[in-house]
Amino acid sequence: MMVRDVVRRARELLAVGDQEQAHAILALALDAQGSAAEDVEAIAVAEATGMLVRLEAPYEPRDAVEQRIARMAELTDGFDADAVREARALAELESIEWVHRHDLDDAIVLVDMLRAAESFAARHIGDDQPLGVRQARAEAMFTAEILRRHLGRDRHRVAVGLETLALTLAAESDDRLRHLRIAALYEAAQIRYDSGDAPESAIALMHRVIAEAEPLPSARSLLHAASLCLVDDEIGRGVSAAVAIAHGLRALTVPVADPGFEAAAEQARHLDRVLERLPDTERDLAAVEHSAALVDRYATCAAEDAREAILWWVLGGVPEDAGAVTAADRQVLAHADRAFGTDSSAATAGARARVASRLAEVTAHLGDPERAVRLYEQLEARFPGHEHDEHLVVPLTLAMVDRALRLTDIGRRGDSLDVLKQVPQRYARAAGVAGVSAAIAQSMYWRGRLLREAGELAESRRVINDTVDRSAHDADADVRMWAANSLFSVWQSRALDPTEIDDALHRFAELFADDPDVRIRRLDARRLLLQATRTAERGERQVAATLLRGLVTNHADSDDPDIRDTVELATENQRILAISSPTDAAPASAGEARYRDLRERLYEADRAVDEGRRADAEALLAAIAADTGADPDENIVMLGLAALDVLGGLLVDAGRWEELVAVARGAALRRPGLDTRARRVHARGHLRLGIALARLGEERAAIEAYEALGRLADGSTDGDIMSAREVAAYNRAVLIDDLGDPVAAITAYDHVLRIHDLSVDSPERRLRRVKTLRNKALLLTGLGRLPETGNAHRMILDIAGTFPDLEIAERARKSAFDLAACYSRLGQHRAASDLYTWMRSARHLGFTRDELKSITRSAKNAARESKRAHR
């Protein structure tokens, strides 16, 4: 094979990433190559050498690379046409330029490269050199200056060297040389600015960079970097960031002559960097404005890949964490969804579908599940036939599952179950596309769970068994996870028979005890802990101990925080089992005898409480606490804490707040080295301390106690501690509200909602969420923030629709009236009219006869106002 053919084939191999094969054929071809017979062959030899040097230079000794260059010179000797000279120069340049692609800290290698670059530049000097040689020489000179800077040479001299290079290129019209000139000016300016060497001159150079980079597409990144330097300079001199970013924004207005994926992505990244310069309080508003402008610029762009790049950028800007998503994120998504609404390109369909489904998801996260359902339903018409498109099927299958969950949120459980039932059959043919099987398994998990919550236990069992049979052995952990979750949801349910829970635990052990996926291993650790607890409660202490040992053995080496928490609980339970031996056995030590004595005194206090002898119980508990506080044995200290815990509960029940303050402070006092049981007592101590201080009128001290509990509980996954934290957060918000700071109170109520989102739902938590939303809505109304008020009231109605409860319904009725009033104040009379119509049929809220009469009157008024507004 001729060397020209080898070069062509090597380029094909490198294009698909096969460097090893490309290197092999190039090396063989050059080893067998004789002296070139014509210019074309000499050029091919130089090109093959350049490709080989590019592959070898980072890894081979410098001598070996120089031998390649020397052999090239030998094989092409006598051929001095411009094209040959250019090919030789570019091949030799590869032996220098590789340093830009690797992070090197070896000073010896860097010095060698510097000398090579200097030698190359010296040997190719002269204005009479062909263009390709001038390009290579300029590259080498630029690299030499960059290496001098990296090696710590005098920064002023490096800057002068770069400016000198730029000066020598001033008359060049070639785009590559113009780019090098701009790069040299930028680097020189950056060096001067960073080192304080004539910063005014540096800023002037940055303006020069911008002027020369604007008409040169390849210098777009230098244009952006220089504009950001101007932004930072002005901010550093005290100019408002909102004003200073004009330099960065101006760079985005420069027309892109040949837009494509990379150009669009570079502009989007630049906008992100510009917006990062703004304070947090100003960033969201600016992000919406300028992101929308960039989206509009590319929405009608002829280049499909540029449009796709902007859509992916919009998606990438929305946080994965639902709790971190903001209204500004939703606005940007909504704008992109509208702007690309008429785009029918198959190339952008995948990104457009993801933007649309993400918009619906974010809308639900921000408290409007009803609107989210409508957005999800529109996807069906916008992306017909998506079941057969591998680029669309995954996001839209997941969107269908999420639509079902949002239907549940707004009280349409029956519709939700119907949607979930459709998923497996509808997407069965696409199951081979990565991600679809996991989405199908997810839909089956949720259907089984929702059926159980609706009381349809037989059908729920059938669906769960089907989910496990279908997915438990799948090679994809994302699929297996939903089978594991199905069994987990069974043993988490309090409504099921204990035998059914035991069966689910045993089946999980059979299927998943050795699963390597960390998400499933978390469930396995919790499964073992629950089994140990259940067996211990049945009196099977040895079996429980064996299960706990297995848990610790199997999971002790895990670095997953959740698993480590479970292992810690298992270790605590092991200690409890070990020291709580039957009381008729002889104690093994004086310490155990003391432990038993104290434990018996605790039991006596419990009996006194049960018999109504509160004073006797309090005296016993106080004595135990006093006897154990300074004991070195952590198990005995734990008994003292337990005594304080029970005593604190008695004082809360009696409303003896002054006495409770001292007891709660003792319980809240941290003892180093104790386990989760102690942290639970500490948490309840902080909570009770806050309650007592608030009752005594010391609101700010109470707030501090609640905040201390928040810090103690931060990161904990223990249910008792999280429950105490949730109550404390709510109490804190109410106290801040009572102190008359509505903005701070709204922030505090938002904190309550966030931490409740971290916990498994329960009736108590739902009621607390509703109370929080009611209080927040009242404050928002007082501040005139009516759109946010409406969101809060809608969330209350959603909760009430899904979970019938008398206390929740009572508050939901008030929110329904308040929401209608909110619509009227906003001039949304049709929405108010529709809401009153809904209220008349909302039997689950239990409107009284007088309330229904008021609804009828108000509905007529709203209908009249709606007609008047549309005349």
Side-chain angles (χ1 to χ4, degrees), residues 666-743:
L669 184 64
R670 298 290 294 273
R671 275 79 167 176
L674 295 187
D675 55 29
T676 302
R677 294 173 299 161
R679 288 196 292 276
R680 291 171 186 158
V681 176
H682 297 328
R684 285 190 289 270
H686 283 297
L687 177 60
R688 288 166 179 163
L689 178 59
I691 292 170
L693 290 169
R695 291 301 186 102
L696 293 170
E698 299 180 37
E699 290 88 354
R700 296 198 181 278
I703 290 171
E704 290 178 6
Y706 292 139
E707 290 173 348
L709 170 51
R711 292 190 293 272
L712 181 147
D714 193 34
S716 175
T717 57
D718 181 77
D720 287 356
I721 295 174
M722 292 175 74
S723 294
R725 178 193 189 191
E726 290 157 2
V727 176
Y730 176 76
N731 291 355
R732 170 182 172 271
V734 171
L735 286 175
I736 293 173
D737 194 347
D738 290 343
L739 290 172
D741 186 343
V743 175

Side-chain angles (χ1 to χ4, degrees), residues 133 167 214 219 221 260 275 320 363 391 411 483 491 497 555 566 583 678 692 763 836 863 869:
V133 177
L167 186 61
E214 283 185 356
S221 62
L275 295 173
E320 288 296 323
T363 299
H391 299 295
W491 79 60
D497 182 86
H555 298 287
T566 307
T583 55
Y836 283 124

Side-chain angles (χ1 to χ4, degrees), residues 1 9 76 92 133 238 280 306 493 515 550 558 617 685 730 796-797 848:
M1 185 184 292
R9 177 58 181 153
T76 61
E92 185 176 351
V133 177
D280 292 344
S493 175
D515 198 291
S558 175
Y730 176 76
I796 292 169
L797 296 178
T848 65

Side-chain angles (χ1 to χ4, degrees), residues 306-575:
R307 300 201 305 273
E308 184 185 16
I310 292 300
L311 288 165
W312 285 116
W313 166 69
V314 168
L315 283 166
V318 182
E320 288 296 323
D321 179 9
V325 173
T326 66
D329 296 322
R330 189 197 178 282
Q331 286 178 270
V332 175
L333 279 168
H335 188 88
D337 190 45
R338 287 193 300 272
F340 283 84
T342 58
D343 191 334
S344 58
S345 166
T348 63
R352 285 187 287 113
R354 283 171 171 82
V355 165
S357 59
R358 192 77 170 105
L359 172 60
E361 182 184 352
V362 165
T363 299
H365 287 320
L366 292 175
D368 195 351
E370 191 167 2
R371 187 177 184 185
V373 167
R374 292 197 297 272
L375 290 170
Y376 276 132
E377 289 170 345
Q378 292 167 12
L379 294 177
E380 296 286 333
R382 293 177 60 183
F383 300 96
H386 66 263
E387 303 94 328
H388 312 293
D389 187 329
E390 64 179 12
H391 299 295
L392 297 177
V393 66
V394 174
L396 293 180
T397 308
L398 291 170
M400 192 170 182
V401 174
D402 201 56
R403 168 161 61 111
L405 300 183
R406 303 293 75 81
L407 283 166
T408 300
D409 290 344
I410 60 176
R412 293 167 57 186
R413 190 188 295 270
D415 292 339
S416 172
L417 289 168
D418 288 342
V419 171
L420 291 170
K421 187 176 182 179
Q422 295 171 30
V423 173
Q425 183 175 358
R426 181 174 184 179
Y427 296 103
R429 291 187 179 180
V433 177
V436 173
S437 291
I440 291 173
Q442 183 183 357
S443 73
M444 296 176 70
Y445 159 80
W446 280 111
R447 184 164 175 251
R449 177 172 165 177
L450 293 177
L451 284 166
R452 182 174 64 247
E453 291 176 0
E456 300 181 36
L457 300 184
E459 182 65 7
S460 172
R461 290 188 193 100
R462 188 192 67 75
V463 173
I464 287 172
N465 287 332
D466 190 16
T467 306
V468 174
D469 290 343
R470 176 172 177 162
S471 304
H473 299 287
D474 200 285
D476 185 350
D478 289 341
V479 178
R480 297 198 307 276
M481 180 188 71
W482 293 108
N485 276 338
S486 292
L487 292 172
F488 174 72
S489 74
V490 171
W491 79 60
Q492 287 288 102
S493 175
R494 300 174 183 176
L496 298 180
D497 182 86
T499 303
E500 187 170 353
I501 292 174
D502 284 338
D503 289 344
L505 289 164
H506 287 119
R507 192 172 187 200
F508 188 99
E510 292 170 358
L511 293 170
F512 299 112
D514 299 318
D515 198 291
D517 185 77
V518 68
R519 297 165 295 180
I520 297 175
R521 291 190 67 75
R522 286 179 198 138
L523 300 183
D524 183 59
R526 295 172 71 176
R527 184 265 306 177
L528 283 163
L529 184 63
L530 179 60
Q531 283 185 299
T533 303
R534 290 167 68 84
T535 53
E537 289 171 349
R538 292 195 294 260
E540 302 172 30
R541 295 163 46 78
Q542 291 303 318
V543 176
T546 300
L547 287 165
L548 290 171
R549 279 196 301 274
L551 192 165
V552 174
T553 300
N554 293 342
H555 298 287
D557 294 334
S558 175
D559 56 2
D560 179 74
D562 287 345
I563 294 176
R564 288 169 63 181
D565 284 349
T566 307
V567 170
E568 184 178 347
L569 287 171
T571 305
E572 295 168 19
N573 287 353
Q574 283 181 309
R575 287 199 294 268

Side-chain angles (χ1 to χ4, degrees), residues 554-609:
N554 293 342
H555 298 287
D557 294 334
S558 175
D559 56 2
D560 179 74
D562 287 345
I563 294 176
R564 288 169 63 181
D565 284 349
T566 307
V567 170
E568 184 178 347
L569 287 171
T571 305
E572 295 168 19
N573 287 353
Q574 283 181 309
R575 287 199 294 268
I576 293 168
L577 283 175
I579 62 178
S580 58
S581 56
T583 55
D584 57 354
S589 65
E592 185 174 338
R594 175 165 161 73
Y595 177 88
R596 287 190 188 182
D597 175 64
L598 289 164
R599 188 180 63 187
E600 186 55 40
R601 289 163 66 186
L602 266 178
Y603 289 158
E604 186 181 346
D606 286 341
R607 288 191 293 271
V609 172

